[in-house]
Amino acid sequence: MKLRKGVVVAASAALLLAAGCSGTGQAPSAESAGGGGGTYGYTFTVVTHGAAGDTFWDVVKKGAEQAGTDEGVTVTYRDSNGDPARQSQLIDAAVNEGVDGLVVSMANPDALRGSIEAAVAAGIPVITINSGQDASTEYGALAHVGQDETIAGRGAGEQMAAAGVNKALCVIQEAGNIGLEQRCAGFAEGLGGTVENLQVENSNPTGAQATIRAKLQSDPSINGVLTLGPVIGAVAITAVQESGSSAQLATFDLNGDVTQAIADGDMLFAVDQQQYTQGYLPIVMLTLYKSNLNTIGGGQPVLTGPGFVTQENAAQVQDLATQGTR
């Protein structure tokens, strides 16, 4: 933990330094300038496992595009709707286009291995984000940017245990997503009580609401619900109310509905992995690597979380979440 915390601090310092000078260490010129509206002219592609309209990934996209503007590089964002075969195709297409760098989330690392290794073999630097931390170095990526899902889940469990929860649901909204499974495993460890994983579909919030409601009605002893994304987190509020359950609710990740629910006392907390930075930082890191062969992280992941948004600090981030940057 100490090592990882140090990595984050070092990464932050390096990125702040990069924003104040050109990537080559020389005075900025029209052809080569650093952050803050530079004109490097690189082309980077971001390929995620998210779906169009998913509020979480909309924030990642905003971060990547803002970094592109600040660094003077072109950023193309592609989502694959959670289909690993489609995601591999998008990665392969970017490689064939000869992009200068790739940012890839790896919810299903095994399915993406061939495409990522082919990109690395073609001399294209890759940075992984959000999911797939354990496979990142093995596949040849320069670095991984995200939160440690097991640590984050454990923290959520500890917070819920402190609130008196001893039997909980962990609601998984994407089947086969290794990161979500790690969150639930960490949650069970931190809670120290009974945890049952409940599968729903992020693309069907109404169905998810009904599934959570039915589960709570069938087992009144469940006194906690942890959702793993803000879309399902928002409908879980209604599910708990409709079920007549007194279960306490928390979620991973933020949007305007979640921060309002926390402020209103309808939700205990949200685990905040600051996904805007998962879009922003890799673009800066690729620019540093392409312009000056800088690498960030020293072989360790650059951690963007977890942080916790509670009723005490919800108002401070609520406006930002509504604007789509938190």
Side-chain angles (χ1 to χ4, degrees):
M1 286 293 295
K2 290 183 178 179
L3 173 59
R4 288 183 172 180
K5 183 176 180 181
V7 168
V8 176
V9 172
S12 300
L15 294 173
L16 288 171
L17 179 61
C21 63
S22 72
T24 60
Q26 299 172 348
S29 67
E31 292 76 26
S32 176
T39 54
Y40 281 108
Y42 302 130
T43 59
F44 300 138
T45 294
V46 181
V47 184
T48 77
H49 65 274
D54 185 318
T55 55
F56 177 91
W57 291 104
D58 286 346
V59 176
V60 175
K61 180 180 180 181
K62 281 189 177 182
E65 291 178 341
Q66 185 60 54
T69 298
D70 292 347
E71 294 298 305
V73 300
T74 299
V75 174
T76 302
Y77 183 95
R78 306 287 187 205
D79 53 55
S80 62
N81 252 357
D83 181 353
R86 174 60 176 159
Q87 192 175 7
S88 288
Q89 292 170 355
L90 292 170
I91 295 169
D92 294 342
V95 172
N96 291 334
E97 292 166 5
V99 297
D100 294 305
L102 273 165
V103 179
V104 180
S105 67
M106 296 198 300
N108 192 326
D110 291 342
L112 304 184
R113 179 171 191 154
S115 295
I116 292 174
E117 289 182 342
V120 173
I124 297 173
V126 177
I127 292 178
T128 60
I129 63 169
N130 184 260
S131 300
Q133 171 185 313
D134 293 342
S136 180
T137 300
E138 180 183 352
Y139 292 2
L142 290 179
H144 179 82
V145 178
Q147 70 179 2
D148 186 297
E149 303 292 13
T150 301
I151 292 173
R154 189 182 303 131
E158 291 169 350
Q159 294 248 1
M160 274 206 157
V165 174
N166 56 21
K167 186 175 184 179
L169 297 177
C170 188
V171 185
I172 298 177
Q173 76 273 14
E174 293 175 2
N177 186 326
I178 188 172
L180 301 186
E181 294 170 2
Q182 290 170 340
R183 288 179 183 178
C184 285
F187 177 57
E189 181 183 338
L191 186 70
T194 301
V195 174
E196 179 181 347
N197 292 357
L198 183 67
Q199 184 69 55
V200 300
E201 293 297 330
N202 204 53
S203 59
N204 184 10
T206 301
Q209 179 177 318
T211 299
I212 297 168
R213 180 181 65 238
K215 187 64 180 177
L216 292 174
Q217 289 173 334
S218 68
D219 187 351
S221 67
I222 296 171
N223 60 358
V225 178
L226 178 70
T227 62
L228 305 184
V231 173
I232 304 304
V235 300
I237 298 168
T238 305
V240 171
Q241 293 169 345
E242 291 177 343
S243 71
S245 170
S246 60
Q248 300 193 77
L249 176 64
T251 191
F252 272 71
D253 307 323
L254 297 173
N255 61 17
D257 291 336
V258 166
T259 51
Q260 185 64 57
I262 295 170
D264 292 342
D266 294 327
M267 187 175 284
L268 283 177
F269 62 84
V271 183
D272 182 15
Q273 61 177 302
Q274 303 183 102
Q275 71 268 31
Y276 184 87
T277 65
Q278 294 177 15
Y280 193 98
L281 294 180
I283 300 303
V284 178
M285 292 163 69
L286 284 173
T287 303
L288 284 168
Y289 180 76
K290 291 292 295 184
S291 65
N292 206 43
L293 287 181
N294 292 125
T295 57
I296 305 298
Q300 298 295 317
V302 178
L303 300 184
T304 64
F308 292 90
V309 177
T310 66
Q311 195 169 30
E312 286 70 31
N313 62 2
Q316 297 175 327
V317 299
Q318 186 170 2
D319 288 343
L320 295 171
T322 302
Q323 293 167 23
T325 59
R326 290 295 298 270

